[in-house]
Amino acid sequence: MVDTVNYALISITCFCFGLIVSFQMAHIHYCRKLAVLVRRSIATKTIAPVLVEYEAGKSKN
């Protein structure tokens, strides 16, 4: 029979892995979003796409 200490250690380990995975998923999401903005900025040779995205994000909050 497994005691409560082992349950606690397993739950803490699962929680830490969950935090690591969620951080990595968010990091990948925002890196891809930034890469799209950089490509659009290079294609248009301006920073207008970055400013438009900044204003769109600002109005959501």
Side-chain angles (χ1 to χ4, degrees):
M1 184 180 269
V2 180
D3 59 353
T4 56
V5 174
N6 287 337
Y7 276 131
L9 290 175
I10 290 171
S11 64
I12 291 170
T13 303
C14 289
F15 178 73
C16 291
F17 278 127
L19 284 177
I20 291 169
V21 168
S22 63
F23 179 77
Q24 286 293 333
M25 289 175 62
H27 179 73
I28 290 168
H29 170 76
Y30 286 109
C31 281
R32 286 181 180 171
K33 192 172 183 178
L34 180 62
V36 169
L37 282 175
V38 168
R39 279 190 225 119
R40 284 195 340 214
S41 294
I42 290 172
T44 60
K45 296 181 182 175
T46 64
I47 61 166
V50 177
L51 297 175
V52 168
E53 189 69 28
Y54 175 72
E55 287 296 321
K58 193 174 171 182
S59 65
K60 287 181 184 177
N61 294 331

